[in-house]
Amino acid sequence: MICIDSVTKSYSGTTVVDAVSTTIPAGGVTSIIGPNGAGKSTLLSLISRLVPMDSGAVSIAGLDIGRTPSKQLAKSMAILRQENHITMRLRVRDLVGFGRFPHSGGHPTAQDEKHILAAMEQLDLTQLADRFLDELSGGQRQRAYIAMVLAQDTDYLLLDEPLNNLDMKHSVEMMRMIRRLADELGKTVVIVIHDINFASCYSDTILAMREGVLVHQGTPAEIMTGDVLRDVYDIDIRIEEIDGNRIGVYFA
Amino acid sequence: MSAPVLNRPAAAEQDPAVAVRRPGKPAETTWLLLGTVAVLLLAAVSLFVGVSDVTLPQLLAGDAEAWDLLWISRVPRTLAVVLAGTAVAVAGLIMQLMVRNRFVEPSTVGTVESATLGILVVTVALPAAPIMLKMGVAGVFALGGTALFLAVLGRLPARNTLLVPIVGIMLGGVIGSVTTFFAYRYDLLQTLSNWMIGDFSGVLRGRYELLWIVAALTLAGYLAADRFTVAGLGADFTTNLGMNHKAIMRLGLVLVSLISAVVVTTVGAVPFLGLIVPNIVSLLFGDNLRRAVPWTALFGAGFVLLCDIIGRTIRFPYEVPVGMVMSVLGATIFLALLLRTRKRNA
């Protein structure tokens, strides 16, 4: 369970995340949606101690992120940010291997090696294991980053726009994998995502933010209504039910 | 992502066959050994190059004069070249990962200039200061100058690949001008050039031993290799993996500054080395420091040995300072490298 208690963050006078309080249940997939500048990514960075909060508190699985040593947190929570400008020439295998660092401290065991191979297999990277990151396409690189945080083998996985750079096929596969991580391995996955329909189809809980405030929280059925989405996005979105999923139509 | 079922590796099974060795790893070790042999050969050549004759038959015959010359001059010089070459190249590599930019090294961001300014300040204030004090002050100045560079970078709105080295060059230029101004005022321009242009001709027994400090610093850099690699991935990655990004940056700052200060005080600045060697190694072997540091050390030692040998033979019996040879050779190689990268990206 992730407990968020009146978390606030301002950048030079502008409040980006405004006293957000909520609980993200353990297990399952939680999606954070909202328009640009709603504070979704900032909230994720605050939860994952990448950015220090101005006030408030966050605890993950009972660990207060402000007091728990970073190294210990790294064993229960992994975070991948949206912008990853890596200029280094690193092999995919090495990058994924660094995901084991919190466990191995730089001396990987056979066990660590297995995690690395499994994570690369999951993301279809086995063939690319010995390629350098700068030789990969944007989508392949995105998958390599995800494999790294997967190899970290944490109970909590926070992904900021995991579909970044992925085409339709890989987007669907990524969302299916996220679903399996929750269903088969019991992980708690929190993602920031722009596509409300992916959020609707694959999450258990949706948090909707607007202007730094958490405005709605609920199941996809509760969030995917014309009224709620108008409140969040300021546009009219028609909701159709297709194959049991609620799909928002907003293209025309 | 094709596998339908997730396999969490079971803790119990420790199948050694699954713990696959990296493909090509034995071959790389072989190459590393061959590289070491090549550097040792260059070192051997370096021992026998010089105005006075030291030849193998003389040594075998037990010629006392030849042995003296070997121990007092040739061995110290060769060791100094190897130690400085190794350390400066590794310092360049660490700095490039710290600022996440390939086009910087201690002599292009103000570190070396600051160290030189430090020595100048001691020389003016306390002309009789022992070398250790000079080195200490140079170290403090180098730390300050490098920290200033990092602070300026931290305030830049966007991390532009070209802006980083330009800021470094400008900062180095400002500090260098201040240094030259004071050197001019105190009539120390001649002395200043001793530190600004690396030269191994003055190295004798008793005048190079401080360089063993950089050997220790380089080793420390190697031991922290994983940390620097992770820092090269950026602050967010580092924090996610439970490491303290600021602490790694501080360690890098200290290592790079002290290596530069010690080298400048003992043999003078060795330009370009920290720029070209890490870039060549990166192209060939990538940036995982565990693997890159040994190669960088080897290439660094080999390159300076080669330049020093050229400097000693090109207008024999006179010497050209190694810094000059390196500037010409280094700049040429680096230019070729840049053009090659452009072709690759095009």
Side-chain angles (χ1 to χ4, degrees):
Chain A
M1 192 165 70
I2 302 177
C3 298
I4 302 166
D5 182 18
S6 43
V7 166
T8 300
K9 179 75 186 177
S10 309
Y11 286 111
S12 52
T14 315
T15 306
V16 194
V17 171
D18 195 354
V20 170
S21 292
T22 187
T23 308
I24 295 173
V29 177
T30 300
S31 298
I32 306 177
I33 62 166
N36 293 333
K40 311 178 293 286
S41 295
T42 309
L43 181 65
L44 208 67
S45 301
L46 294 171
I47 296 175
S48 55
R49 54 102 169 77
L50 292 187
V51 172
M53 57 189 101
D54 295 343
S55 62
V58 170
S59 75
I60 294 180
L63 301 171
D64 182 336
I65 62 150
R67 295 205 192 122
T68 312
S70 190
K71 201 173 172 184
Q72 194 185 336
L73 282 173
K75 289 182 195 169
S76 30
M77 168 194 55
I79 163 87
L80 182 68
R81 287 281 292 262
Q82 177 187 355
E83 299 273 326
N84 299 294
H85 280 294
I86 294 190
T87 47
M88 293 173 78
R89 272 168 67 76
L90 211 54
R91 290 180 204 278
V92 171
R93 178 195 298 274
D94 291 343
L95 176 80
V96 178
F98 276 113
R100 297 304 298 165
F101 208 88
H103 304 272
S104 68
H107 303 282
T109 61
Q111 182 64 20
D112 292 315
E113 202 66 42
K114 275 191 202 174
H115 276 286
I116 295 166
L117 293 176
M120 287 197 297
E121 180 123 340
Q122 278 307 317
L123 286 132
D124 221 0
L125 291 167
T126 312
Q127 303 299 319
L128 303 172
D130 286 308
R131 292 273 286 276
F132 284 112
L133 285 176
D134 61 356
E135 299 165 355
L136 302 182
S137 72
Q140 291 169 332
R141 216 173 299 152
Q142 174 72 359
R143 273 150 54 205
Y145 298 148
I146 305 254
M148 187 196 91
V149 287
L150 204 57
Q152 214 172 323
D153 191 34
T154 52
D155 288 337
Y156 290 81
L157 195 56
L158 280 51
L159 304 171
D160 193 350
E161 304 238 14
L163 305 186
N164 224 355
N165 283 320
L166 297 186
D167 56 24
M168 277 185 283
K169 169 179 181 262
H170 283 105
S171 292
V172 170
E173 285 183 354
M174 178 66 68
M175 292 309 290
R176 284 188 186 149
M177 190 196 69
I178 286 172
R179 197 60 250 173
R180 289 202 307 272
L181 289 172
D183 294 343
E184 291 168 26
L185 298 182
K187 289 180 191 289
T188 308
V189 188
V190 183
I191 58 177
V192 166
I193 189 161
H194 264 295
D195 190 326
I196 52 168
N197 293 328
F198 269 129
S200 170
C201 295
Y202 288 92
S203 19
D204 302 297
T205 310
I206 296 178
L207 308 189
M209 291 183 72
R210 179 182 183 155
E211 288 167 10
V213 180
L214 178 63
V215 283
H216 292 279
Q217 175 166 3
T219 61
E222 289 162 348
I223 300 295
M224 293 296 286
T225 69
D227 289 343
V228 170
L229 292 179
R230 189 180 314 109
D231 188 32
V232 176
Y233 289 101
D234 235 355
I235 54 167
D236 286 314
I237 298 176
R238 196 175 83 234
I239 304 296
E240 296 284 341
E241 187 145 330
I242 301 172
D243 297 338
N245 288 314
R246 298 172 79 85
I247 302 294
V249 184
Y250 52 89
F251 300 103
Chain B
M1 270 189 299
S2 49
V5 181
L6 287 166
N7 299 312
R8 189 194 281 258
E13 32 174 315
Q14 289 269 357
D15 185 1
V18 181
V20 200
R21 293 278 111 207
R22 270 154 211 257
K25 204 173 182 185
E28 204 175 303
T29 319
T30 315
W31 281 111
L32 213 55
L33 274 173
L34 284 175
T36 314
V37 171
V39 169
L40 286 176
L41 279 176
L42 277 173
V45 171
S46 162
L47 287 179
F48 294 102
V49 173
V51 178
S52 311
D53 271 341
V54 177
T55 59
L56 210 51
Q58 278 177 318
L59 292 176
L60 291 176
D63 185 333
E65 211 173 304
W67 277 103
D68 274 353
L69 198 68
L70 188 72
W71 286 122
I72 294 170
S73 167
R74 300 290 169 77
V75 169
R77 177 171 192 156
T78 304
L79 277 174
V81 168
V82 170
L83 290 173
T86 306
V88 170
V90 172
L93 176 62
I94 291 176
M95 170 152 272
Q96 289 173 12
L97 287 195
M98 283 170 67
V99 304
R100 305 180 66 199
N101 191 297
R102 290 251 74 112
F103 303 117
V104 296
E105 65 133 10
S107 75
T108 63
V109 303
T111 309
V112 166
E113 288 82 354
S114 305
T116 313
L117 179 61
I119 308 176
L120 189 75
V121 168
V122 196
T123 311
V124 170
L126 295 163
I131 184 108
M132 276 307 269
L133 182 67
K134 279 186 187 166
M135 193 177 288
V137 175
V140 172
F141 272 72
L143 275 170
T146 318
L148 182 65
F149 170 64
L150 294 178
V152 172
L153 279 194
R155 277 176 226 295
L156 285 184
R159 235 357 132 76
N160 179 312
T161 312
L162 285 178
L163 209 54
V164 175
I166 288 172
V167 166
I169 290 167
M170 286 193 315
L171 196 65
V174 172
I175 299 170
S177 308
V178 172
T179 312
T180 313
F181 174 75
F182 280 111
Y184 191 71
R185 287 284 305 262
Y186 291 95
D187 210 12
L188 285 169
L189 273 180
Q190 196 78 39
T191 324
L192 187 67
S193 69
N194 286 344
W195 305 310
M196 300 228 296
I197 301 173
D199 183 9
F200 292 92
S201 62
V203 174
L204 291 173
R205 191 167 69 196
R207 280 210 219 150
Y208 84 101
E209 284 77 358
L210 286 168
L211 277 176
W212 286 105
I213 298 174
V214 299
L217 294 169
T218 310
L219 185 67
Y222 177 64
L223 292 177
D226 282 337
R227 274 156 216 288
F228 288 122
T229 312
V230 172
L233 295 172
D236 289 341
F237 272 91
T238 314
T239 311
N240 170 49
L241 294 175
M243 281 179 263
N244 185 337
H245 186 253
K246 284 198 177 122
I248 301 174
M249 293 294 277
R250 278 197 295 270
L251 176 66
L253 175 69
V254 169
L255 290 180
V256 168
S257 304
L258 293 188
I259 286 176
S260 308
V262 174
V263 171
V264 170
T265 340
T266 42
V267 296
V270 188
F272 282 113
L273 184 64
L275 201 60
I276 48 166
V277 170
N279 272 290
I280 293 171
V281 171
S282 170
L283 280 176
L284 294 176
F285 308 103
D287 288 329
N288 190 346
L289 252 57
R290 276 279 185 97
R291 239 170 295 158
V293 167
W295 280 112
T296 308
L298 264 184
F299 275 52
F303 186 57
V304 187
L305 275 170
L306 188 67
C307 290
D308 189 52
I309 293 171
I310 293 174
R312 278 191 272 172
T313 46
I314 198 164
R315 49 187 285 250
F316 192 83
Y318 304 103
E319 271 198 36
V320 178
V322 70
M324 233 176 248
V325 182
M326 293 196 57
S327 294
V328 175
L329 214 59
T332 315
I333 295 175
F334 194 60
L335 207 61
L337 212 66
L338 279 180
L339 293 173
R340 202 194 114 142
T341 322
R342 220 183 119 188
K343 213 155 116 196
R344 218 166 46 118
N345 292 347

